[in-house]
Amino acid sequence: MWTVTCRQLPLRRMLLLSSRILMNKLQKYKYMELNLLQRKKRLRAQVPDIEKTLEIVKHMLKKNEEFQTHYMLSDQVHALATVPPTDKVFLWLGANVMLEYTIDEAIALLTKNLNTATVNADQLEDDLGYLSNQITTMEVNMARVYKLGLQAQEGCCRQIVNTSVLLVFKCKYFIKDLFHYSVIIITFWWFFPTFCSV
């Protein structure tokens, strides 16, 4: 905990310091929001691919006979292929890795991956909601500090008795899904009504 009293800093420096800290935290929250949005976009793109692959593997399990299909050679070129009856499939795992699975193992793996992707997408929605609230709180706090600075420039702030104004920065870290959320609580003693006369 870091405490700065009015005896240590003049009001203008204290406001400047607090606005810099708030701006720094706001930038961190915006960066985290951008990263979460990118992860959400990737997960939303993965879900249809997994569902499509799962549907094809289930179709292969039902039709245990030879069938014909078109497969993509490149973006604009497709070829006709005859698929013999088989009990094994090859799945791309990513990073140029392909593994052979039995059809039952492939269905289990794809179902697990689909459930995981759906749960992660829902968790990202919750994290984005929390982050949005934190960004709004930071913006409101910045507006209050700015307003207090304007009032201080106009000279409406009265003499502070017994250093009753205390600027307290408390950082609490919550670990949630490998992210550190830091909350800045700015407390003015009885906040604005007793600090400034309007």
Side-chain angles (χ1 to χ4, degrees):
M1 184 166 91
W2 177 36
T3 305
V4 180
T5 62
C6 287
R7 288 182 186 162
Q8 295 168 340
L9 289 177
L11 180 61
R12 288 182 189 222
R13 285 191 59 206
M14 192 167 55
L15 292 175
L16 180 64
L17 176 65
S18 61
S19 66
R20 283 182 183 169
I21 290 173
L22 286 173
M23 181 59 80
N24 188 18
K25 288 293 177 186
L26 182 64
Q27 288 173 350
K28 287 179 183 177
Y29 283 139
K30 292 282 190 179
Y31 178 74
M32 287 171 61
E33 183 182 37
L34 180 67
N35 285 338
L36 289 178
L37 286 172
Q38 288 173 350
R39 281 185 57 199
K40 178 183 168 187
K41 184 178 178 182
R42 280 195 308 266
L43 278 175
R44 292 292 181 207
Q46 282 180 353
V47 168
D49 291 340
I50 295 172
E51 287 174 343
K52 185 176 165 185
T53 306
L54 185 59
E55 181 182 329
I56 291 169
V57 172
K58 284 182 179 178
H59 176 74
M60 289 178 69
L61 181 64
K62 285 182 200 172
K63 287 229 178 203
N64 202 5
E65 60 188 37
E66 185 175 291
F67 64 94
Q68 289 189 342
T69 185
H70 288 88
Y71 68 95
M72 188 170 62
L73 291 174
S74 67
D75 288 338
Q76 301 296 324
V77 180
H78 293 326
L80 184 65
T82 303
V83 180
T86 183
D87 62 341
K88 303 219 184 260
V89 293
F90 290 90
L91 295 178
W92 283 105
L93 298 181
N96 293 329
V97 175
M98 179 184 274
L99 287 179
E100 180 182 14
Y101 291 97
T102 65
I103 291 181
D104 294 332
E105 289 174 343
I107 289 174
L109 178 70
L110 290 170
T111 305
K112 178 183 155 213
N113 288 351
L114 181 62
N115 291 338
T116 302
T118 306
V119 167
N120 287 345
D122 293 340
Q123 181 65 36
L124 281 176
E125 286 291 333
D126 294 343
D127 290 345
L128 282 169
Y130 174 79
L131 210 52
S132 175
N133 289 339
Q134 292 303 313
I135 288 172
T136 303
T137 302
M138 284 297 133
E139 289 171 345
V140 168
N141 284 339
M142 287 176 62
R144 287 180 177 168
V145 169
Y146 180 75
K147 179 181 175 186
L148 184 62
L150 290 179
Q151 290 174 348
Q153 284 180 354
E154 293 172 2
C156 76
C157 290
R158 57 190 159 126
Q159 184 66 25
I160 302 166
V161 180
N162 295 331
T163 63
S164 61
V165 176
L166 186 61
L167 182 59
V168 179
F169 296 94
K170 295 180 181 176
C171 293
K172 296 181 180 177
Y173 295 95
F174 301 101
I175 299 174
K176 182 180 181 187
D177 194 25
L178 302 177
F179 290 103
H180 297 279
Y181 296 108
S182 51
V183 179
I184 294 183
I185 303 168
I186 297 179
T187 307
F188 291 101
W189 187 258
W190 291 350
F191 213 57
F192 290 109
T194 53
F195 183 65
C196 289
S197 59
V198 179

